[in-house]
């Protein structure tokens, strides 16, 4: 890593409900029978024994320790999320029968049992993360083929230094950010600049920090929205306080409403115009990124938060020759060999343990607290940086 910084703890963001280390013998899950709004269709279910699994060679039993609630999980429950392959790996059974699906795609767990034939150096006690989406991670345990898992070699260290909940957030947010930094443009370590919108999102947070480990500067556009000047300043401070001179936070509205502000930013960048733009929003925000992009540069779209299309003006294509691409982490995970996926997981863990990268703020809830968790998520708009919801998959329901 080009930049080595000491690991710091953000005590302000300590979870209100600690992840419980208590071992349980029964089973619980968060599942849904039909698609719809998560608060309406997702149900907490407990039973004495885990659902029966096929006793196949190469299968391992994972005790799920923590699993984050990502925007994609919401879309899956709503029935709006496509599968990256025609015939996806079937989800392990729900305790409530075949018609039910368990929610949750990402997760952090530990192998507690296994049949012969597992690959990739997975052994009982190994910490693992998911290598396949759609397996239903919001539950206390599940059996999976070892090919659906990625072992985390420094898992014990990650657990001790960051905790289960933070570890659970690392791989999708960090993986999406890492691939977009690495796979589209080769950025010079000294002069490389990335411009992104939704800089206060989970992916945006990870992208700025991972880029910093490579000495790449990031300009983060963040919408001011209904934030007061004080709230905006707190947010900008939260995003830059540890990475001054690396991440610069700019209110998107200031650039959209004032051509002079764009010129000033361009002048500040000088010959280091961004070769990579990262778009999670679409609409005018994406057009702004394209304007700031260097000739021949690439804009990668990974989200459409504004629900507005990305439009590219003809002159940008002809005179600036910009490239417009998309990134979908589930597709990368499906198409990539296990060895490469493990390499990425190792790189992300090293970035946290050796490179000082911190996970976004989060708030932990038990699976039984799903309604409170979803309510908390919608009510936290005044927060400087929104907290990720993480489920403690071991904590018992009442
Ligand atoms: N393609 C992939 O593989 C992939 C992987 C991960 C995530 N994603 C997508 O990436 C996006 C971000 O995910 P995340 O988990 O990082 O999200 P997140 O942590 O939940 O954050 C979303 C952020 O977006 C901002 N936002 C919402 N609507 C906006 C708008 N119209 N204009 C500008 N900013 C807006 C919000 O900030 P304020 O409300 O404070 O403005 C919020 O901080 C989501 O759309 C998600 O589906 C895609």
């Amino acid at each position: 890593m080009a930049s080595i910084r000491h690991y710091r703890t953000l005590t302000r963001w300590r979870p209100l409900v600690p992840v419980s280390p208590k071992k349980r013998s029964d089973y619980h899950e968060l599942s849904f029978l039909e698609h719809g709004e998560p608060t309406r269709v997702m149900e907490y279910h407990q039973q004495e024994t885990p659902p029966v699994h096929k006793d196949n060679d190469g299968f391992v039993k994972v005790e799920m320790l923590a699993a984050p609630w990502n925007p994609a999980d919401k879309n899956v429950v709503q029935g709006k999320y496509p599968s990256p392959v025609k015939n996806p790996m079937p989800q392990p059974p729900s305790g409530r029968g075949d018609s039910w699906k368990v929610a949750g795609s990402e997760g952090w767990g530990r192998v507690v049992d296994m049949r012969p034939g597992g690959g990739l150096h997975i052994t009982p006690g190994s910490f693992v993360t998911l290598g396949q989406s759609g397996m239903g991670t919001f539950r206390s345990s599940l059996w999976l083929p070892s090919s659906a898992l990625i072992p985390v070699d420094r898992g014990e260290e990650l657990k001790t230094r960051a905790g289960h909940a933070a570890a659970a957030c690392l791989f999708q947010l960090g993986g999406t950010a890492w691939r977009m930094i690495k796979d589209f443009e080769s950025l010079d370590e000294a002069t490389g600049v990335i411009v992104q919108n939704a800089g206060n999102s989970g992916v945006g947070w990870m992208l700025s920090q991972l880029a910093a480990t490579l000495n790449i500067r990031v300009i983060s556009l963040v919408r001011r929205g209904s934030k007061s000047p004080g709230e905006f300043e707190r947010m900008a401070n939260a995003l830059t306080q540890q990475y001054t001179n690396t991440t610069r936070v700019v209110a998107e509205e200031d650039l959209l409403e004032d051509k002079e502000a764009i010129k000033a930013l361009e002048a500040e960048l000088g010959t280091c115009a961004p070769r990579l733009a990262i778009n999670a929003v679409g609409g005018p925000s994406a057009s702004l990124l394209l304007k700031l992009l260097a000739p021949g540069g690439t804009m990668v779209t990974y989200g459409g938060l504004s629900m507005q299309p990305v439009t590219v003006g003809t002159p940008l294509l002809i005179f600036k020759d910009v490239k417009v691409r998309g990134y979908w982490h589930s597709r990368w995970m499906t198409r990539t060999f296990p060895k490469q996926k493990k390499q990425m997981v190792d790189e992300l863990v090293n970035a946290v343990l050796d490179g000082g990268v911190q996970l976004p703020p989060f708030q932990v809830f038990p699976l039984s607290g799903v309604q409170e968790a979803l309510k908390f998520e919608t009510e936290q708009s005044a927060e400087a940086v929104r907290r990720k919801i993480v489920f403690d998959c071991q904590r018992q329901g009442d």
Side-chain angles (χ1 to χ4, degrees):
M1 293 268 150
S3 152
I4 307 290
R5 279 165 283 131
H6 294 293
Y7 184 80
R8 290 164 293 262
T9 312
L10 261 185
T11 45
R12 282 166 56 206
W13 300 114
R14 194 167 287 156
L16 296 181
V17 187
V19 174
S20 161
K22 207 169 84 184
K23 177 82 181 73
R24 304 159 347 97
S25 56
D26 56 352
Y27 173 87
H28 61 175
E29 66 178 36
L30 258 185
S31 43
F32 57 100
L33 180 60
E34 55 184 36
H35 291 300
E37 278 315 301
T39 45
R40 188 175 60 79
V41 299
M42 282 208 318
E43 289 182 20
Y44 176 68
H45 168 76
Q46 263 183 310
Q47 62 188 48
E48 276 192 9
T49 51
V52 177
H53 74 281
K54 285 195 191 122
D55 206 25
N56 288 340
D57 278 358
F59 269 56
V60 300
K61 184 180 183 183
V62 180
E63 176 188 68
M64 290 306 305
L65 296 165
W69 170 250
N70 287 316
D73 295 315
K74 180 179 176 184
N75 296 150
V76 168
V77 177
Q78 290 169 324
K80 294 179 184 167
Y81 202 74
S83 166
V85 283
K86 234 181 180 176
N87 298 307
M89 184 182 280
Q91 184 185 93
S94 149
R96 310 186 80 176
D98 289 346
S99 313
W100 288 77
K101 285 272 169 272
V102 180
S105 248
E106 199 191 358
W108 163 255
R110 186 165 27 206
V111 172
V112 289
D113 197 359
M114 60 193 299
R115 300 288 170 257
L120 266 177
H121 314 300
I122 289 176
T123 54
S126 295
F127 283 99
V128 288
T129 182
L130 273 287
Q132 289 284 333
S133 53
M135 295 297 105
T137 51
F138 295 166
R139 53 174 130 197
S140 45
S141 64
L142 74 173
W143 281 87
L144 284 168
S146 58
S147 59
L149 297 164
I150 309 173
V152 182
D153 293 348
R154 298 178 75 187
E156 189 66 42
E157 229 179 315
L158 185 63
K159 178 203 89 178
T160 308
R161 299 259 297 270
H164 291 311
C169 293
L170 173 62
F171 302 103
Q172 203 211 49
L173 298 177
T176 302
W178 195 231
R179 294 271 57 92
M180 293 193 294
I181 294 172
K182 305 276 275 186
D183 294 350
F184 292 89
E185 284 284 342
S186 102
L187 296 171
D188 186 297
E189 291 213 353
T191 57
V193 179
I194 297 173
V195 61
Q196 66 168 345
N197 54 21
N200 60 339
S201 67
V203 174
W205 171 287
M206 290 305 293
L207 189 132
S208 338
Q209 295 195 54
L210 289 166
T213 67
L214 301 171
N215 280 341
I216 291 167
R217 283 188 295 156
V218 177
I219 313 272
S220 285
L221 310 188
V222 178
R223 67 174 173 176
R224 200 183 286 284
S226 57
K227 293 177 194 74
S228 69
E231 283 167 350
F232 188 84
E233 201 185 318
R234 272 203 299 283
M235 181 201 56
N237 285 340
L239 291 173
T240 53
Q241 59 193 348
Q242 293 136 16
Y243 304 102
T244 320
N245 299 329
T246 302
T247 299
R248 166 105 142 69
V249 177
V250 183
E252 193 170 284
E253 291 90 339
D254 292 354
L255 299 180
L256 284 169
E257 288 157 16
D258 182 1
K259 279 189 182 149
E260 292 307 313
I262 297 186
K263 280 189 193 150
L265 183 57
E266 283 170 339
E268 192 186 309
L269 289 164
T271 52
C272 296
R275 290 205 54 77
L276 184 60
I278 303 292
N279 168 41
V281 179
S285 176
S287 305
L288 195 53
L289 294 184
L290 284 167
K291 240 180 231 162
L292 294 168
L293 196 59
T298 303
M299 180 170 83
V300 183
T301 292
Y302 72 101
L305 287 161
S306 71
M307 311 293 278
Q308 290 180 282
V310 172
T311 46
V312 189
T314 307
L316 286 171
L317 292 168
I318 298 175
F319 303 123
K320 249 176 116 173
D321 191 20
V322 294
K323 298 188 277 292
V324 179
R325 302 282 307 275
Y327 180 73
W328 187 16
H329 197 58
S330 303
R331 183 177 52 217
W332 187 89
M333 292 293 276
T334 308
R335 291 186 180 170
T336 303
F337 289 116
K339 211 173 149 186
Q340 284 167 278
K341 288 194 265 194
K342 179 161 179 330
Q343 185 187 334
M344 182 186 72
V345 161
D346 290 344
E347 286 168 352
L348 292 173
V349 173
N350 293 345
V352 172
L353 295 179
D354 306 331
V357 163
Q358 280 197 12
L359 279 304
F362 53 80
Q363 188 77 39
V364 181
F365 290 86
L367 290 172
S368 59
V370 58
Q371 294 299 337
E372 290 85 347
L374 299 182
K375 189 162 177 271
F376 175 87
E377 194 189 33
T378 53
E379 285 178 356
Q380 57 164 333
S381 50
E383 289 262 7
V385 177
R386 283 164 187 260
R387 300 186 196 198
K388 279 269 155 209
I389 304 298
V390 181
F391 289 111
D392 173 350
C393 299
Q394 291 301 303
R395 189 162 169 225
Q396 277 279 14
D398 300 326

